Amino acid sequence: MSWLRIKGIKVLPLILVMLFSTLILSGCVTTKSGGFASKADDKKAFETSLQLARSYIAQGNWDQAKRHLQYVEAEDKNNPETLEALALVFQNTGELELAERYYLRSISLAPNASRVRNNYAAFLYARGRYEEAATQLEVVVQELLYERRVEAFVNLGRCYLQLNQLTKAEDAFKRAFLMQGDDAAVLMSLAEVYFRMARFADSQRFYDAYLSKDPSQNAAALWLGIRLADKFDDKNSHASFALALKNLYPKSEEYLLYKAYMQQGDR
């Protein structure tokens, strides 16, 4: 091998220096890609797929969400967030047994995840399983820092309304009222429970407060307004609410209840 001399010092020819440098650098890259870099890439792919799945869930694109979530689950079968997301997808595609299975798996892995329990409670409530939903929500409302705690108390009260446990329903609604007394859903809920408890003056007071927050009433509010109007012999309000219920919500359960109520003359 011929060497170059610079001021009496032997040095390698430039081309060989470049070749050795290239070999050293390529050796370093190979080592990294087989270790930390590959793990980082896998983690990034996992997180990206999970984010895409959440985005598709928000859009209601269940097929695309499921495709990404199945990849994520294959990478980590015990990720509670993945399991919850799959439960939501299966719930919305009518695969209810699978949805419940995934909810329960998620809860077993993350028993303190209030959001998962709240979503599972909504799933149970929609199936008419009010006592089971209340059991889940009783756990949720104990989480003091849960950002949707007021909503959880309202939903808990609604479960007890369905079970005709009026005192427990009142307690849940009052807790929500103490935390957020100007919330329309809370005010309406208290108006409903007090009507069922035959505390009509209290019901009217909270109903009026509800109207000040949400003048555009839904079917449930109009139906309550009709019944309160009859208790206080307010024919004008009855006629106004009944007309609105008929025109705005002709296919609602509340309008069917109203028609049966009028036929029975239960006023």
Side-chain angles (χ1 to χ4, degrees):
M1 178 184 297
S2 61
W3 293 74
L4 297 177
R5 287 183 176 274
I6 301 177
K7 295 184 178 179
I9 301 174
K10 291 183 179 180
V11 297
L12 286 171
L14 181 58
I15 189 169
L16 291 179
V17 173
M18 293 174 63
L19 177 58
F20 288 146
S21 299
T22 302
L23 289 173
I24 292 169
L25 288 172
S26 64
C28 292
V29 171
T30 302
T31 301
K32 289 182 179 178
S33 64
F36 295 112
S38 62
K39 292 180 181 178
D41 289 343
D42 289 343
K43 183 178 179 181
K44 184 176 181 180
F46 179 93
E47 292 174 349
T48 299
S49 285
L50 187 55
Q51 289 173 359
L52 285 170
R54 288 172 179 159
S55 176
Y56 284 126
I57 288 173
Q59 297 169 23
N61 190 336
W62 310 115
D63 288 338
Q64 288 292 339
K66 186 187 296 186
R67 182 170 67 84
H68 284 284
L69 287 170
Q70 285 172 337
Y71 163 76
V72 172
E73 186 188 20
E75 294 296 312
D76 183 357
K77 293 185 180 298
N78 295 314
N79 184 300
E81 291 189 22
T82 304
L83 298 174
E84 179 204 10
L86 278 165
L88 286 169
V89 170
F90 289 128
Q91 178 179 341
N92 283 279
T93 55
E95 299 166 276
L96 302 182
E97 290 185 7
L98 276 174
E100 182 156 19
R101 190 184 309 165
Y102 276 96
Y103 274 127
L104 291 173
R105 282 180 60 195
S106 181
I107 289 170
S108 69
L109 290 166
N112 296 323
S114 296
R115 185 188 66 203
V116 182
R117 286 188 183 273
N118 194 46
N119 287 338
Y120 182 45
F123 171 87
L124 293 169
Y125 187 95
R127 315 268 87 73
R129 295 160 61 182
Y130 306 119
E131 191 167 354
E132 293 173 80
T135 298
Q136 295 297 326
L137 289 167
E138 287 285 10
V139 178
V140 174
V141 297
Q142 299 307 312
E143 175 53 62
L144 301 181
L145 299 180
Y146 180 47
E147 66 274 11
R148 297 173 64 182
R149 193 167 177 236
V150 171
E151 178 187 317
F153 269 117
V154 170
N155 290 336
L156 177 61
R158 288 172 177 165
C159 289
Y160 286 131
L161 274 182
Q162 292 288 350
L163 295 167
N164 203 35
Q165 298 182 28
L166 300 182
T167 300
K168 287 186 175 182
E170 179 195 10
D171 289 344
F173 294 143
K174 284 172 70 175
R175 290 290 300 274
F177 179 74
L178 289 172
M179 288 186 285
Q180 197 166 330
D182 61 347
D183 183 87
V186 173
L187 296 169
M188 177 62 194
S189 298
L190 280 166
E192 179 66 35
V193 74
Y194 285 135
F195 185 89
R196 297 196 191 187
M197 297 174 83
R199 293 170 55 178
F200 302 121
D202 287 332
S203 179
Q204 185 68 60
R205 178 163 58 89
F206 280 102
Y207 183 74
D208 290 340
Y210 160 78
L211 287 180
S212 70
K213 297 294 179 183
D214 186 7
S216 59
Q217 303 175 73
N218 59 24
L222 289 167
W223 172 224
L224 177 58
I226 290 167
R227 289 174 290 155
L228 279 170
D230 285 349
K231 294 298 179 184
F232 292 101
D233 197 26
D234 185 347
K235 292 181 173 59
N236 289 335
S237 292
H238 175 115
S240 176
F241 293 149
L243 183 62
L245 184 60
K246 177 182 178 181
N247 290 339
L248 297 175
Y249 309 102
K251 296 182 180 180
S252 66
E253 180 183 357
E254 287 79 6
Y255 184 58
L256 293 176
L257 289 170
Y258 169 71
K259 290 197 295 183
Y261 169 78
M262 294 303 292
Q263 289 170 0
Q264 294 170 2
D266 185 14
R267 289 178 288 163

Short mmCIF file of all heavy atoms in Angstrom, two decimals, residues 134 137-138 141-142 149-161 165-180 185-187 189-190 193-194 197:
data_model
loop_
_atom_site.label_atom_id
_atom_site.label_comp_id
_atom_site.label_asym_id
_atom_site.label_seq_id
_atom_site.Cartn_x
_atom_site.Cartn_y
_atom_site.Cartn_z
N ALA A 134 -76.26 1.98 37.29
CA ALA A 134 -76.11 2.75 38.53
C ALA A 134 -74.90 2.27 39.32
O ALA A 134 -74.16 3.09 39.90
CB ALA A 134 -77.37 2.62 39.37
N LEU A 137 -71.87 3.86 37.82
CA LEU A 137 -71.84 5.30 38.04
C LEU A 137 -71.56 5.64 39.51
O LEU A 137 -70.97 6.69 39.80
CB LEU A 137 -73.15 5.94 37.59
CG LEU A 137 -73.34 5.96 36.07
CD1 LEU A 137 -74.79 6.29 35.71
CD2 LEU A 137 -72.39 6.96 35.42
N GLU A 138 -71.96 4.78 40.43
CA GLU A 138 -71.64 5.02 41.84
C GLU A 138 -70.13 5.03 42.04
O GLU A 138 -69.62 5.74 42.91
CB GLU A 138 -72.29 3.94 42.71
CG GLU A 138 -73.79 4.07 42.88
CD GLU A 138 -74.21 5.19 43.83
OE1 GLU A 138 -73.34 5.99 44.23
OE2 GLU A 138 -75.41 5.27 44.14
N VAL A 141 -68.74 8.57 40.28
CA VAL A 141 -68.94 9.83 41.00
C VAL A 141 -68.03 9.97 42.22
O VAL A 141 -67.92 11.07 42.78
CB VAL A 141 -70.42 10.01 41.42
CG1 VAL A 141 -71.32 10.09 40.19
CG2 VAL A 141 -70.88 8.89 42.35
N GLN A 142 -67.36 8.88 42.62
CA GLN A 142 -66.41 8.98 43.72
C GLN A 142 -65.09 9.61 43.30
O GLN A 142 -64.30 10.03 44.14
CB GLN A 142 -66.14 7.59 44.31
CG GLN A 142 -67.37 6.89 44.87
CD GLN A 142 -68.11 7.72 45.89
OE1 GLN A 142 -67.50 8.29 46.80
NE2 GLN A 142 -69.43 7.80 45.75
N ARG A 149 -67.94 14.79 36.07
CA ARG A 149 -68.58 14.29 37.30
C ARG A 149 -70.02 14.76 37.42
O ARG A 149 -70.89 14.01 37.86
CB ARG A 149 -67.76 14.73 38.51
CG ARG A 149 -68.14 14.02 39.81
CD ARG A 149 -67.11 14.26 40.87
NE ARG A 149 -67.48 13.64 42.13
CZ ARG A 149 -67.58 14.30 43.27
NH1 ARG A 149 -67.33 15.61 43.32
NH2 ARG A 149 -67.91 13.67 44.38
N VAL A 150 -70.30 16.00 37.04
CA VAL A 150 -71.67 16.51 37.09
C VAL A 150 -72.58 15.65 36.21
O VAL A 150 -73.67 15.23 36.62
CB VAL A 150 -71.73 17.99 36.66
CG1 VAL A 150 -73.18 18.45 36.51
CG2 VAL A 150 -71.00 18.87 37.66
N GLU A 151 -72.13 15.40 35.01
CA GLU A 151 -72.90 14.56 34.08
C GLU A 151 -73.11 13.16 34.65
O GLU A 151 -74.19 12.57 34.50
CB GLU A 151 -72.16 14.46 32.75
CG GLU A 151 -72.82 13.58 31.71
CD GLU A 151 -71.96 13.40 30.48
OE1 GLU A 151 -71.37 14.39 30.02
OE2 GLU A 151 -71.86 12.25 29.99
N ALA A 152 -72.09 12.63 35.34
CA ALA A 152 -72.21 11.30 35.93
C ALA A 152 -73.28 11.28 37.02
O ALA A 152 -74.05 10.32 37.12
CB ALA A 152 -70.86 10.86 36.48
N PHE A 153 -73.33 12.34 37.82
CA PHE A 153 -74.38 12.42 38.85
C PHE A 153 -75.77 12.50 38.21
O PHE A 153 -76.72 11.86 38.70
CB PHE A 153 -74.15 13.63 39.75
CG PHE A 153 -73.32 13.34 40.97
CD1 PHE A 153 -72.10 13.95 41.16
CD2 PHE A 153 -73.77 12.45 41.94
CE1 PHE A 153 -71.33 13.68 42.28
CE2 PHE A 153 -73.01 12.17 43.07
CZ PHE A 153 -71.79 12.79 43.24
N VAL A 154 -75.90 13.27 37.13
CA VAL A 154 -77.20 13.36 36.45
C VAL A 154 -77.60 12.00 35.90
O VAL A 154 -78.76 11.56 36.06
CB VAL A 154 -77.14 14.41 35.31
CG1 VAL A 154 -78.40 14.34 34.44
CG2 VAL A 154 -76.98 15.81 35.90
N ASN A 155 -76.66 11.30 35.28
CA ASN A 155 -76.96 9.99 34.72
C ASN A 155 -77.29 8.98 35.83
O ASN A 155 -78.17 8.12 35.65
CB ASN A 155 -75.80 9.48 33.87
CG ASN A 155 -75.65 10.27 32.59
OD1 ASN A 155 -76.61 10.86 32.10
ND2 ASN A 155 -74.45 10.29 32.03
N LEU A 156 -76.61 9.10 36.95
CA LEU A 156 -76.92 8.24 38.09
C LEU A 156 -78.35 8.49 38.57
O LEU A 156 -79.11 7.54 38.83
CB LEU A 156 -75.93 8.50 39.23
CG LEU A 156 -76.15 7.72 40.52
CD1 LEU A 156 -76.05 6.22 40.27
CD2 LEU A 156 -75.13 8.16 41.58
N GLY A 157 -78.73 9.76 38.67
CA GLY A 157 -80.10 10.09 39.07
C GLY A 157 -81.12 9.55 38.09
O GLY A 157 -82.19 9.07 38.49
N ARG A 158 -80.81 9.59 36.80
CA ARG A 158 -81.73 9.06 35.80
C ARG A 158 -81.90 7.55 35.93
O ARG A 158 -82.99 7.02 35.70
CB ARG A 158 -81.24 9.44 34.39
CG ARG A 158 -81.42 10.93 34.08
CD ARG A 158 -80.76 11.32 32.79
NE ARG A 158 -81.01 12.73 32.50
CZ ARG A 158 -80.34 13.45 31.60
NH1 ARG A 158 -79.36 12.87 30.89
NH2 ARG A 158 -80.64 14.72 31.40
N CYS A 159 -80.82 6.87 36.27
CA CYS A 159 -80.93 5.43 36.52
C CYS A 159 -81.91 5.17 37.67
O CYS A 159 -82.78 4.29 37.58
CB CYS A 159 -79.57 4.83 36.88
SG CYS A 159 -78.40 4.74 35.50
N TYR A 160 -81.77 5.95 38.75
CA TYR A 160 -82.66 5.74 39.90
C TYR A 160 -84.10 6.15 39.58
O TYR A 160 -85.04 5.56 40.13
CB TYR A 160 -82.11 6.49 41.11
CG TYR A 160 -80.90 5.82 41.73
CD1 TYR A 160 -79.75 6.55 42.02
CD2 TYR A 160 -80.90 4.45 42.00
CE1 TYR A 160 -78.64 5.92 42.57
CE2 TYR A 160 -79.80 3.83 42.55
CZ TYR A 160 -78.67 4.56 42.83
OH TYR A 160 -77.57 3.93 43.37
N LEU A 161 -84.27 7.13 38.70
CA LEU A 161 -85.63 7.46 38.25
C LEU A 161 -86.26 6.26 37.55
O LEU A 161 -87.43 5.93 37.78
CB LEU A 161 -85.61 8.65 37.29
CG LEU A 161 -85.64 10.07 37.86
CD1 LEU A 161 -85.66 11.08 36.72
CD2 LEU A 161 -86.86 10.28 38.75
N GLN A 165 -86.59 4.77 42.33
CA GLN A 165 -85.96 5.04 43.63
C GLN A 165 -85.77 6.55 43.72
O GLN A 165 -84.69 7.09 43.48
CB GLN A 165 -84.64 4.28 43.75
CG GLN A 165 -84.82 2.76 43.69
CD GLN A 165 -83.52 2.01 43.87
OE1 GLN A 165 -82.58 2.49 44.51
NE2 GLN A 165 -83.45 0.81 43.31
N LEU A 166 -86.85 7.23 44.08
CA LEU A 166 -86.91 8.69 43.93
C LEU A 166 -85.98 9.42 44.90
O LEU A 166 -85.41 10.46 44.54
CB LEU A 166 -88.35 9.17 44.09
CG LEU A 166 -89.34 8.58 43.08
CD1 LEU A 166 -90.74 9.17 43.31
CD2 LEU A 166 -88.88 8.84 41.65
N THR A 167 -85.85 8.92 46.10
CA THR A 167 -84.97 9.59 47.07
C THR A 167 -83.52 9.56 46.60
O THR A 167 -82.80 10.55 46.69
CB THR A 167 -85.11 8.94 48.45
OG1 THR A 167 -86.47 9.04 48.89
CG2 THR A 167 -84.20 9.63 49.46
N LYS A 168 -83.09 8.40 46.10
CA LYS A 168 -81.72 8.29 45.57
C LYS A 168 -81.55 9.17 44.34
O LYS A 168 -80.49 9.78 44.15
CB LYS A 168 -81.40 6.84 45.24
CG LYS A 168 -81.17 5.96 46.46
CD LYS A 168 -80.70 4.57 46.04
CE LYS A 168 -80.35 3.73 47.25
NZ LYS A 168 -79.86 2.38 46.87
N ALA A 169 -82.58 9.24 43.51
CA ALA A 169 -82.51 10.11 42.32
C ALA A 169 -82.37 11.56 42.74
O ALA A 169 -81.53 12.30 42.20
CB ALA A 169 -83.75 9.91 41.46
N GLU A 170 -83.18 11.98 43.71
CA GLU A 170 -83.10 13.35 44.21
C GLU A 170 -81.71 13.65 44.76
O GLU A 170 -81.13 14.72 44.48
CB GLU A 170 -84.15 13.58 45.30
CG GLU A 170 -84.10 14.99 45.88
CD GLU A 170 -84.87 15.14 47.18
OE1 GLU A 170 -85.30 14.10 47.74
OE2 GLU A 170 -85.01 16.28 47.65
N ASP A 171 -81.16 12.73 45.55
CA ASP A 171 -79.82 12.94 46.12
C ASP A 171 -78.77 13.14 45.02
O ASP A 171 -77.91 14.03 45.13
CB ASP A 171 -79.43 11.75 47.00
CG ASP A 171 -80.22 11.70 48.29
OD1 ASP A 171 -80.83 12.73 48.65
OD2 ASP A 171 -80.24 10.62 48.93
N ALA A 172 -78.84 12.32 43.98
CA ALA A 172 -77.87 12.43 42.89
C ALA A 172 -78.01 13.77 42.16
O ALA A 172 -77.02 14.45 41.88
CB ALA A 172 -78.04 11.28 41.90
N PHE A 173 -79.25 14.17 41.88
CA PHE A 173 -79.48 15.44 41.18
C PHE A 173 -79.06 16.63 42.05
O PHE A 173 -78.52 17.62 41.53
CB PHE A 173 -80.94 15.58 40.79
CG PHE A 173 -81.39 14.58 39.75
CD1 PHE A 173 -82.67 14.03 39.79
CD2 PHE A 173 -80.56 14.17 38.72
CE1 PHE A 173 -83.10 13.12 38.84
CE2 PHE A 173 -80.97 13.26 37.76
CZ PHE A 173 -82.25 12.73 37.82
N LYS A 174 -79.29 16.54 43.35
CA LYS A 174 -78.90 17.64 44.24
C LYS A 174 -77.38 17.78 44.30
O LYS A 174 -76.86 18.91 44.38
CB LYS A 174 -79.48 17.41 45.64
CG LYS A 174 -80.97 17.71 45.74
CD LYS A 174 -81.56 17.29 47.07
CE LYS A 174 -81.08 18.14 48.20
NZ LYS A 174 -81.75 17.79 49.48
N ARG A 175 -76.67 16.65 44.26
CA ARG A 175 -75.21 16.73 44.23
C ARG A 175 -74.74 17.44 42.96
O ARG A 175 -73.82 18.27 43.00
CB ARG A 175 -74.61 15.32 44.31
CG ARG A 175 -74.79 14.63 45.64
CD ARG A 175 -73.95 15.27 46.74
NE ARG A 175 -72.53 15.22 46.44
CZ ARG A 175 -71.73 14.19 46.73
NH1 ARG A 175 -72.24 13.10 47.31
NH2 ARG A 175 -70.45 14.22 46.44
N ALA A 176 -75.38 17.11 41.85
CA ALA A 176 -75.03 17.77 40.60
C ALA A 176 -75.35 19.27 40.68
O ALA A 176 -74.58 20.11 40.20
CB ALA A 176 -75.79 17.13 39.44
N PHE A 177 -76.48 19.61 41.30
CA PHE A 177 -76.90 21.01 41.43
C PHE A 177 -75.91 21.81 42.28
O PHE A 177 -75.59 22.96 41.97
CB PHE A 177 -78.29 21.07 42.05
CG PHE A 177 -78.81 22.47 42.24
CD1 PHE A 177 -79.24 23.22 41.15
CD2 PHE A 177 -78.87 23.03 43.51
CE1 PHE A 177 -79.72 24.51 41.32
CE2 PHE A 177 -79.35 24.32 43.69
CZ PHE A 177 -79.77 25.06 42.60
N LEU A 178 -75.40 21.20 43.34
CA LEU A 178 -74.42 21.88 44.19
C LEU A 178 -73.14 22.19 43.44
O LEU A 178 -72.47 23.19 43.71
CB LEU A 178 -74.12 21.03 45.42
CG LEU A 178 -75.24 20.93 46.46
CD1 LEU A 178 -74.88 19.91 47.54
CD2 LEU A 178 -75.52 22.29 47.09
N MET A 179 -72.80 21.34 42.50
CA MET A 179 -71.56 21.53 41.73
C MET A 179 -71.77 22.47 40.54
O MET A 179 -70.86 23.20 40.16
CB MET A 179 -71.03 20.18 41.25
CG MET A 179 -70.44 19.33 42.35
SD MET A 179 -69.67 17.82 41.70
CE MET A 179 -71.12 16.86 41.34
N GLN A 180 -72.96 22.44 39.94
CA GLN A 180 -73.19 23.26 38.75
C GLN A 180 -74.68 23.62 38.68
O GLN A 180 -75.45 23.05 37.90
CB GLN A 180 -72.76 22.49 37.49
CG GLN A 180 -72.59 23.38 36.27
CD GLN A 180 -71.84 22.66 35.17
OE1 GLN A 180 -71.00 21.79 35.42
NE2 GLN A 180 -72.14 23.01 33.93
N ALA A 185 -79.60 20.73 32.20
CA ALA A 185 -79.95 19.32 32.42
C ALA A 185 -80.17 19.03 33.90
O ALA A 185 -81.06 18.25 34.26
CB ALA A 185 -78.84 18.43 31.85
N VAL A 186 -79.38 19.65 34.75
CA VAL A 186 -79.53 19.46 36.20
C VAL A 186 -80.86 20.03 36.66
O VAL A 186 -81.61 19.38 37.43
CB VAL A 186 -78.36 20.13 36.95
CG1 VAL A 186 -78.59 20.07 38.45
CG2 VAL A 186 -77.04 19.47 36.58
N LEU A 187 -81.19 21.23 36.22
CA LEU A 187 -82.45 21.88 36.62
C LEU A 187 -83.65 21.07 36.15
O LEU A 187 -84.62 20.87 36.89
CB LEU A 187 -82.50 23.30 36.04
CG LEU A 187 -81.42 24.26 36.56
CD1 LEU A 187 -81.40 25.53 35.73
CD2 LEU A 187 -81.65 24.57 38.03
N SER A 189 -83.74 17.89 35.52
CA SER A 189 -83.77 16.62 36.25
C SER A 189 -84.42 16.80 37.62
O SER A 189 -85.22 15.96 38.06
CB SER A 189 -82.35 16.07 36.41
OG SER A 189 -81.78 15.79 35.14
N LEU A 190 -84.08 17.88 38.32
CA LEU A 190 -84.70 18.15 39.61
C LEU A 190 -86.20 18.43 39.45
O LEU A 190 -87.02 17.98 40.27
CB LEU A 190 -84.00 19.31 40.30
CG LEU A 190 -82.69 18.97 40.99
CD1 LEU A 190 -81.90 20.22 41.33
CD2 LEU A 190 -82.95 18.14 42.26
N VAL A 193 -87.88 14.95 39.02
CA VAL A 193 -87.96 14.10 40.21
C VAL A 193 -88.92 14.69 41.23
O VAL A 193 -89.68 13.94 41.89
CB VAL A 193 -86.56 13.85 40.82
CG1 VAL A 193 -86.01 15.07 41.54
CG2 VAL A 193 -86.61 12.65 41.77
N TYR A 194 -88.97 16.01 41.36
CA TYR A 194 -89.91 16.61 42.31
C TYR A 194 -91.36 16.44 41.84
O TYR A 194 -92.26 16.27 42.67
CB TYR A 194 -89.58 18.07 42.55
CG TYR A 194 -88.36 18.26 43.42
CD1 TYR A 194 -87.37 19.19 43.11
CD2 TYR A 194 -88.19 17.50 44.58
CE1 TYR A 194 -86.25 19.34 43.91
CE2 TYR A 194 -87.08 17.64 45.39
CZ TYR A 194 -86.11 18.57 45.04
OH TYR A 194 -85.00 18.71 45.85
N MET A 197 -92.33 13.08 42.89
CA MET A 197 -92.49 13.01 44.35
C MET A 197 -93.71 13.81 44.82
O MET A 197 -93.93 13.94 46.03
CB MET A 197 -91.22 13.54 45.03
CG MET A 197 -89.97 12.71 44.73
SD MET A 197 -88.44 13.44 45.39
CE MET A 197 -88.50 12.86 47.08
#
